Amino acid sequence: MTGTLVLAGTPIGDVADAPPRLSTELAQADVIAAEDTRRLRRLTQALGVTPGGRVVSYFEGNESARTPELVEELRGGARVLLVTDAGMPSVSDPGYRLVAAAVEHDIKVTAVPGPSAVLTALALSGLPVDRFCFEGFLPRKGGERLSRLREVAEERRTLVYFEAPHRLDDTLAAMAEVFGADRRAAVCRELTKTYEEVKRGPLADLAAWAAEGVRGEITVVVEGAPESGPEELDAEELVRRVRIREDAGERRKEAIAAVAAEAGLPKRVVFDAVVAAKRSAG
């Protein structure tokens, strides 16, 4: 009889948001794998719970090495509880490797649903939430960051990102460059905490605001690309879209075909725009 892996959501700010089942799982688990054992200790003290099993660390630095150990515990019948510092495990946090390994060994995986910075920020943003995609953290290097943003420049779903406060101004400036200065966005800071703040506005305005310095845990929500018809896309815009796709790694022929399909135009129209732009530049 194999055990069960339990992924448990933890508060992203206010400890009162902890799901009731979390206390039960903390008391009954055979093994608790925690991203930070010190934070786990503070959480259990706040909840008035005494962990019933062995507590081990499970973070980015030891995730690869510790996963096989935890799988052996599970195969031996243990109930293993995985918690991260805030929110749901494996969502930009440790957990994916352990879940994949458990699934590979036919071990039951379940969850204790809990707070999520992604969903909370979406709900507070004031932007469309019927369709969205989560992009996690952007690369730290400027060139790689721009390349990643260009990959989703025409994405029509609402975009959600995590970002470190000291990189927020650079990230918002890059978003304004790639997505457009007027694209709407919301910066959600310190969600559910005492100094919670949601700053909404065009990307250019938010970049200027962030340049003054921002602190705390940050989630950025960005409006998706607008629906555009052929009549709205002039030659300059068609060329810009082709270049974005080329910068993301597409061959020119494929980029032209994709932009033509998006715009509802013949490929020849887009091709002619690109050729004309090349001639004027050279």
Side-chain angles (χ1 to χ4, degrees):
M1 176 74 80
T2 58
T4 300
L5 172 61
V6 183
L7 311 179
T10 56
I12 59 175
D14 192 335
V15 72
D17 294 333
R21 277 181 55 205
L22 177 59
S23 295
T24 301
E25 293 289 349
L26 287 167
Q28 296 180 354
D30 300 303
V31 180
I32 301 173
E35 183 177 9
D36 186 326
T37 57
R38 292 168 299 181
R39 289 199 182 192
L40 174 65
R41 189 178 306 114
R42 291 197 292 270
L43 176 62
T44 55
Q45 289 174 347
L47 295 176
V49 178
T50 300
R54 182 166 60 94
V55 175
V56 299
S57 63
Y58 189 76
F59 59 97
E60 185 178 358
N62 72 354
E63 192 174 0
S64 296
R66 181 136 286 168
T67 292
E69 300 174 15
L70 293 174
V71 169
E72 285 306 306
E73 294 276 4
L74 289 162
R75 294 181 68 184
R79 190 172 185 85
V80 176
L81 178 67
L82 177 61
V83 294
T84 54
D85 292 346
M88 284 298 298
S90 85
V91 180
S92 282
D93 278 328
Y96 167 74
R97 286 188 179 91
L98 183 55
V99 173
V103 170
E104 183 180 349
H105 288 86
D106 293 323
I107 294 167
K108 180 181 178 181
V109 182
T110 188
V112 177
S116 164
V118 175
L119 297 181
T120 303
L122 270 169
L124 296 178
S125 70
L127 298 172
V129 297
D130 54 328
R131 299 175 67 228
F132 70 91
C133 55
F134 174 58
E135 288 289 308
F137 284 95
L138 286 166
R140 297 181 180 183
K141 295 182 179 179
E144 294 177 5
R145 184 191 302 126
L146 284 171
S147 179
R148 183 73 62 80
L149 290 171
R150 286 172 182 139
E151 291 177 6
V152 294
E154 305 304 327
E155 173 60 64
R156 290 176 178 171
R157 292 173 294 178
T158 299
L159 301 159
V160 184
Y161 295 89
F162 288 158
E163 190 51 280
H166 62 279
R167 290 196 297 270
L168 180 62
D169 57 340
D170 289 338
T171 291
L172 290 171
M175 288 177 171
E177 177 183 341
V178 175
F179 298 155
D182 294 330
R183 181 83 70 89
R184 294 188 300 163
V187 176
C188 304
R189 186 180 73 86
E190 294 290 89
L191 290 172
T192 77
K193 299 178 183 177
T194 302
Y195 298 104
E196 175 181 285
E197 179 181 21
V198 180
K199 191 76 173 178
R200 306 175 183 88
L203 281 167
D205 291 356
L206 292 174
W209 164 76
E212 300 177 5
V214 178
R215 295 182 179 181
E217 300 287 336
I218 304 292
T219 304
V220 181
V221 185
V222 184
E223 182 181 33
E227 299 270 352
S228 298
E231 71 283 353
E232 300 177 58
L233 302 181
D234 57 18
E236 184 178 350
E237 175 63 14
L238 293 172
V239 172
R240 187 185 77 85
R241 293 190 178 199
V242 170
R243 285 175 178 164
I244 287 173
R245 288 181 169 275
E246 285 186 299
D247 289 342
E250 287 188 20
R251 293 180 358 187
R252 176 164 295 180
K253 182 178 180 180
E254 297 168 345
I256 288 173
V259 170
E262 289 174 355
L265 294 170
K267 286 186 284 186
R268 186 71 194 181
V269 173
V270 183
F271 175 80
D272 289 345
V274 172
V275 171
K278 187 176 180 180
R279 284 175 181 166
S280 62

